[in-house]
Amino acid sequence: MISIKNLHKNFDSKVVLRGVDLDIYDGERLVVVGRSGCGKSVLLKHILNLMQPDEGYILVDNIAIKKVQQKDLFFLRKQFGFLFQGAALFDSMTVEENIALPLYEHTDMQSEQINAKVAEKLDMVGLPGIQKLKPAELSGGMKKRVGLARAIIMDPKYILYDEPTTGLDPIMAANIDKLIIELSNKLNVTSIVVTHDLQSVSKIADRVVMLHRGQIIFSGNVEDLKKSKNEVVYQFVHAEAEGPIQPKPRKY
Amino acid sequence: MRKHFKLFGDAPFFLFTKKYFISIWMIKPITFIGQRTILFFENTGAVFIMLGRTLRYLAHLWSNRQLVADQMMELGVRSIPLVLFVGVFAGAVASVQTAYQLEGYISYNYLGAATSVAIFIELGPVLTALVAAGRVGASMAAEIGTMKVTEQIDALESLAIDPIRYLAMPRILSGFVMIPVLTIFADLIGVLGAYAVAYINLNLPPEIFFGSVKEFFSLLNVFSGLIKAFFFGGITAIIGCYVGFSTTGGAEGVGQATIKAFVLSSALILLNDYLLSMILF
């Protein structure tokens, strides 16, 4: 279980998170929604301690991730898979090397075993036989799926998805959604998905929380989200231009 | 007074007071200098923290040997053609210039000694390091900087791999080791370049040229040059890595990081050249 307690984060004078409290239960598929730039990805990066909070803390299986030593932090991180928004594949490596890297770094497995496991994960994400390709040779959707294969190579307990369907065509997006559900069911992992794609939300979410102005303003299932009377949630769900959420004019 | 300024619009009166003048025109530069000073110490501290973390990983050198070998290949072996090119012409120029200065005063018999000492203690290490700063330091900053802005550094961290161990340690170690190795190549080819010019321009026989090189040859000179190269190599790699890890702001940021790494490491090489020369000679 992951518990986020009173999380605050500022970037210079810009306040991004203002006291986020959230519990994520084992095995659930939690979706975090909100407008672009509302701090969803920042929240996700705090869970892995890729960013450090100004205030508040995060407990992963009752261990405060902020306070652990580097060795323990790396031990905790091995329980996570992270799918980055742009996949963040290592340009200089092939697909196989990208996916196999954590196995070479953290296990004593032999090359043959590693290659077999890489092939198995590539099969799972629907991309068999592309081991020798370089990231530059892949389409956006393929990159995301390779990123996903890399995220699950260590059979993690938690998978964090940062906008997994952004920039993909609807069919590819549906495929990724299907993968998220399959992985969740097959591997029984806890999934935290950050997105503003409401079609994905409807398909994959066990529970939805909405982040707005650095705070969680809604928590419930998809039906509750759609029926919510909260004006902000209503405007977001129904994609309306008029409402309490207005794009701020930027000062230059 | 107030009425007078009213004539020039609605500028508030306090803008023209002595107190405002002091607060804006005197305190602002002091604040600026203060901020820059803090930033300088902050960056210097961060560089040493990175270096400390890098040194800690030297204990795990054996398990990271492949990463180190790859970087030694990139930084060292692939730089050899460029270093040889620079070395041969540096030697040639040194020979021409020295011959010009000796003309009419001292016998050309000492040309070999004069040019070889200059190459061993100064030209070899400094030019090799400057070439490395351009070729390797800047490329380290660009490579790591691109990884930073495309979240590849975050990806390494999320895979429980410390970027300092995986990226910085092999590069910094290679910098310390391979720049002295490249300097030896530059020294050798530099002396040959110098001799080639001496033979073509002055028809100086090899036994005279290399006889004087041998007569005045001192291992101390060579080692002093290699000690310089050791520090220059470390500086180039440390700055390249640090600037790379500090990159922000997309493609423009990567471009800026590349320039910053080259300028900073070149300046530090020259500054340290002076300091080390004071200590060593």
Side-chain angles (χ1 to χ4, degrees):
Chain A
M1 180 177 163
I2 299 170
S3 295
I4 299 168
K5 305 285 185 195
N6 192 32
L7 206 69
H8 286 75
K9 182 69 179 177
N10 301 343
F11 291 106
D12 297 324
S13 58
K14 193 186 176 195
V15 182
V16 179
L17 300 176
R18 292 189 298 171
V20 172
D21 285 294
L22 179 64
D23 288 329
I24 302 142
Y25 303 102
D26 286 346
E28 79 169 328
R29 285 195 300 272
L30 176 81
V31 178
V32 182
V33 295
R35 291 188 64 208
S36 296
C38 75
K40 306 185 295 290
S41 299
V42 170
L43 178 67
L44 216 54
K45 287 187 176 179
H46 275 84
I47 295 175
L48 269 182
N49 208 38
L50 296 175
M51 287 182 178
Q52 288 75 41
D54 295 329
E55 223 180 288
Y57 58 93
I58 293 170
L59 301 173
V60 176
D61 298 331
N62 289 323
I63 299 167
I65 199 158
K66 188 174 153 183
K67 291 184 178 171
V68 294
Q69 296 288 314
Q70 194 188 46
K71 199 178 163 188
D72 299 324
L73 177 64
F74 284 172
F75 174 77
L76 280 173
R77 280 181 181 164
K78 284 178 203 167
Q79 299 181 48
F80 283 86
F82 197 125
L83 174 59
F84 287 85
Q85 197 173 339
L89 299 178
F90 305 118
D91 302 325
S92 55
M93 299 181 188
T94 62
V95 165
E96 186 172 44
E97 288 163 346
N98 260 284
I99 301 171
L101 182 64
L103 296 176
Y104 281 113
E105 289 288 324
H106 304 307
T107 69
D108 297 324
M109 289 168 74
Q110 297 299 310
S111 293
E112 297 77 37
Q113 293 170 294
I114 289 176
N115 291 345
K117 192 155 185 183
V118 169
E120 177 202 328
K121 298 300 178 191
L122 278 173
D123 270 348
M124 277 181 88
V125 298
L127 292 172
I130 63 155
Q131 279 90 329
K132 300 297 172 203
L133 295 183
K134 284 275 182 103
E137 298 171 86
L138 307 176
S139 70
M142 287 165 89
K143 279 183 189 169
K144 291 227 167 165
R145 285 192 280 170
V146 172
L148 189 50
R150 186 178 67 185
I152 60 172
I153 193 74
M154 294 285 283
D155 299 322
K157 190 176 169 189
Y158 305 99
I159 306 180
L160 314 181
Y161 301 87
D162 191 359
E163 306 206 6
T165 56
T166 301
L168 301 182
D169 67 76
I171 296 161
M172 187 56 71
N175 272 316
I176 296 274
D177 291 339
K178 195 177 153 205
L179 265 174
I180 293 172
I181 297 166
E182 277 177 11
L183 287 172
S184 169
N185 294 338
K186 273 186 195 169
L187 307 175
N188 195 31
V189 292
T190 307
S191 308
I192 306 163
V193 185
V194 153
T195 186
H196 40 62
D197 178 351
L198 290 168
Q199 277 195 330
S200 290
V201 176
S202 304
K203 287 179 197 164
I204 60 182
D206 289 334
R207 183 161 64 105
V208 187
V209 293
M210 182 165 172
L211 201 59
H212 181 63
R213 290 186 178 161
Q215 288 178 318
I216 290 188
I217 57 161
F218 171 86
S219 176
N221 60 29
V222 179
E223 289 309 307
D224 294 338
L225 182 80
K226 286 177 180 167
K227 288 178 196 160
S228 175
K229 295 279 188 282
N230 182 313
E231 287 180 332
V232 175
V233 178
Y234 185 90
Q235 187 190 356
F236 183 82
V237 172
H238 294 88
E240 291 185 352
E242 301 299 320
I245 311 174
Q246 288 301 320
K248 278 186 191 169
R250 186 172 283 186
K251 285 179 189 172
Y252 291 99
Chain B
M1 187 79 169
R2 275 170 193 266
K3 271 183 189 172
H4 176 75
F5 283 113
K6 283 280 181 192
L7 291 173
F8 294 98
D10 292 328
F13 178 69
F14 74 85
L15 280 180
F16 305 97
T17 62
K18 191 178 168 188
K19 194 177 167 186
Y20 183 80
F21 179 81
I22 290 169
S23 70
I24 293 299
W25 299 106
M26 291 189 73
I27 292 179
K28 247 190 170 178
I30 295 170
T31 310
F32 177 79
I33 292 166
Q35 282 172 344
R36 287 280 154 167
T37 311
I38 291 168
L39 195 67
F40 170 76
F41 283 109
E42 215 174 83
N43 281 329
T44 310
V47 166
F48 279 100
I49 288 169
M50 188 187 80
L51 186 59
R53 286 178 64 192
T54 304
L55 292 176
R56 221 175 50 197
Y57 280 118
L58 289 180
H60 307 281
L61 194 55
W62 182 247
S63 55
N64 295 298
R65 61 190 181 281
Q66 188 57 48
L67 294 171
V68 176
D70 289 346
Q71 286 308 314
M72 284 186 169
M73 178 66 100
E74 179 58 39
L75 199 154
V77 178
R78 296 203 177 111
S79 296
I80 287 176
L82 188 59
V83 167
L84 292 184
F85 182 81
V86 171
V88 76
F89 283 101
V93 170
S95 183
V96 170
Q97 296 287 341
T98 311
Y100 172 70
Q101 288 178 50
L102 295 181
E103 194 177 3
Y105 295 103
I106 302 169
S107 161
Y108 285 137
N109 291 355
Y110 295 103
L111 185 62
T115 47
S116 64
V117 170
I119 288 167
F120 291 150
I121 66 174
E122 186 63 27
L123 292 174
V126 173
L127 289 177
T128 305
L130 288 175
V131 166
R135 188 194 170 272
V136 182
S139 91
M140 279 181 195
E143 189 184 358
I144 298 176
T146 304
M147 290 183 77
K148 175 83 189 305
V149 300
T150 55
E151 293 185 312
Q152 292 177 51
I153 302 282
D154 278 346
L156 273 179
E157 295 239 27
S158 76
L159 297 169
I161 297 168
D162 188 354
I164 297 289
R165 175 183 69 75
Y166 196 78
L167 299 173
M169 189 274 279
R171 284 167 174 78
I172 291 174
L173 182 64
S174 303
F176 274 116
V177 174
M178 295 311 283
I179 300 299
V181 174
L182 289 173
T183 300
I184 294 171
F185 279 93
D187 285 351
L188 290 173
I189 198 79
V191 173
L192 288 177
Y195 168 68
V197 168
Y199 181 74
I200 294 163
N201 287 352
L202 307 169
N203 209 15
L204 208 63
E207 57 273 17
I208 301 284
F209 185 89
F210 288 108
S212 81
V213 171
K214 195 179 164 189
E215 193 181 338
F216 288 88
F217 179 82
S218 150
L219 263 183
L220 189 71
N221 283 343
V222 177
F223 279 123
S224 301
L226 294 182
I227 289 169
K228 278 185 179 182
F230 174 79
F231 283 103
F232 297 162
I235 288 167
T236 303
I238 291 165
I239 296 296
C241 291
Y242 178 71
V243 171
F245 282 122
S246 319
T247 306
T248 52
E252 193 190 347
V254 175
Q256 293 294 332
T258 312
I259 297 166
K260 199 173 161 186
F262 176 64
V263 171
L264 208 56
S265 45
S266 302
L268 284 173
I269 285 167
L270 295 175
L271 176 71
N272 279 278
D273 184 32
Y274 170 71
L275 295 175
L276 288 166
S277 297
M278 296 278 283
I279 295 166
L280 294 168
F281 303 108

